[in-house]
Amino acid sequence: MQNEVVSREEWLEARRALLAKEKEATRLRDSVNAARLALPWVRVDKDYVFETPEGRKSLADLFDGRSQLLIYHFMLGPDWDAGCTGCSFLSDHVDGALPHLNHHDVTWVAVSRAPLDKIAAYKQRMGWKFPWVSSFGSDFNFDYHVSFSPEDLAKDKVFYNFTPMQPADANDELPGLSAFYRNDKGEIFHTYSSYARGPEELIGTLMILDRAPKGRNEDSTMNFVRRHDEYEEAPKAPSCCH
């Protein structure tokens, strides 16, 4: 299906109308960002331990000397054979941002419940460099509502994205992003979490596709996405010479 074809003058008029909406969306995003920064914080008093390539580490250790920590809740369960496709799609965008984040006092770490050897194997397959640790045996994923036990899924409701939901709509692992702050006293605070499509803006490919003629061209949310080593050769555009 092709959009209406008009004169350049008509296109400019339509484009200016869209520009007004784009500016409105930018101002709204600025407002949302300001509200996010103004959220109250919750002190983290529970001790969490993570398995890392350098040995067992606490939540404080994951900050790696910085005051801000972003944890991506990567869907890779203890008995999973591979990481979630959507989480993998987002994670393809992280390595290039790491130097900028680290030099702006922010540490990025992915956390999954899979054992460390399984994480290491999948990380090597994908060719990623960002830190990725295991919370296996810890309450961390359950406390931040991204992992659900069989007992949880047998209940009438599970709590995800700040809302009770039907277990049939859940999974043993779900995605999310959580932010933490560590002050000079060593106190840690949970400042923010986002789930479901909340972290979508971190996926630069989607932001680029939104500006392409066909947009995301999807039948359902990200149904076109594959792990980056699973794509078949992309079909070539038809040529007038053939």
Side-chain angles (χ1 to χ4, degrees):
M1 181 176 179
Q2 180 174 296
N3 289 23
E4 181 184 6
V5 178
V6 298
S7 67
R8 175 61 60 177
E9 289 74 19
E10 291 173 300
W11 183 87
L12 283 172
E13 182 180 354
R15 181 62 187 91
R16 289 188 182 110
L18 175 60
L19 178 60
K21 291 186 176 182
E22 289 176 334
K23 289 183 176 180
E24 182 181 352
T26 298
R27 289 190 291 269
L28 178 58
R29 185 178 67 229
D30 290 342
S31 175
V32 169
N33 288 341
R36 183 184 295 116
L37 292 176
L39 273 176
W41 296 352
V42 178
R43 188 193 310 273
V44 180
D45 293 320
K46 193 168 185 177
D47 293 327
Y48 295 105
V49 177
F50 304 87
E51 299 293 338
T52 85
E54 296 79 32
R56 291 164 69 86
K57 290 187 177 182
S58 66
L59 182 62
D61 294 330
L62 296 187
F63 281 78
D64 197 23
R66 302 180 181 91
S67 70
Q68 301 166 86
L69 173 67
L70 291 175
I71 287 183
Y72 183 65
H73 304 287
F74 194 114
M75 295 169 62
L76 180 56
D79 57 349
W80 289 33
D81 295 326
C84 160
T85 303
C87 292
S88 300
F89 187 37
L90 184 148
S91 296
D92 280 338
H93 299 77
V94 173
D95 281 348
L98 286 181
H100 307 285
L101 294 174
N102 292 166
H103 284 84
H104 207 54
D105 193 34
V106 177
T107 296
W108 174 282
V109 178
V111 173
S112 299
R113 280 202 313 124
L116 197 59
D117 58 345
K118 185 168 288 190
I119 288 174
Y122 188 66
K123 181 179 178 181
Q124 182 177 18
R125 170 186 164 184
M126 293 289 100
W128 295 326
K129 304 298 183 185
F130 57 80
W132 193 354
V133 304
S134 171
S135 62
F136 185 72
S138 163
D139 293 333
F140 183 77
N141 280 47
F142 298 102
D143 289 350
Y144 287 88
H145 306 289
V146 290
S147 293
F148 305 93
S149 68
E151 292 76 19
D152 292 330
L153 296 173
K155 296 177 182 177
D156 293 336
K157 302 282 186 180
V158 296
F159 189 77
Y160 179 68
N161 201 16
F162 314 106
T163 307
M165 64 184 294
Q166 295 292 332
D169 297 326
N171 197 359
D172 56 336
E173 306 291 336
L174 288 173
L177 178 76
S178 292
F180 301 87
Y181 177 76
R182 187 169 185 256
N183 64 19
D184 293 338
K185 297 179 182 179
E187 298 170 314
I188 297 175
F189 303 89
H190 174 216
T191 67
Y192 176 75
S193 282
S194 180
Y195 303 100
R197 291 184 63 186
E200 188 174 272
E201 289 185 341
L202 279 62
I203 306 177
T205 300
L206 292 181
M207 305 302 110
I208 295 172
L209 286 174
D210 286 341
R211 286 142 180 89
K214 292 184 179 180
R216 301 187 186 186
N217 196 23
E218 57 189 7
D219 299 320
S220 59
T221 303
M222 296 198 307
N223 75 314
F224 64 93
V225 174
R226 304 290 182 270
R227 298 178 185 88
H228 63 239
D229 63 353
E230 294 177 344
Y231 284 107
E232 298 178 2
E233 184 177 356
K236 297 179 180 179
S239 170
C240 62
C241 300
H242 296 280

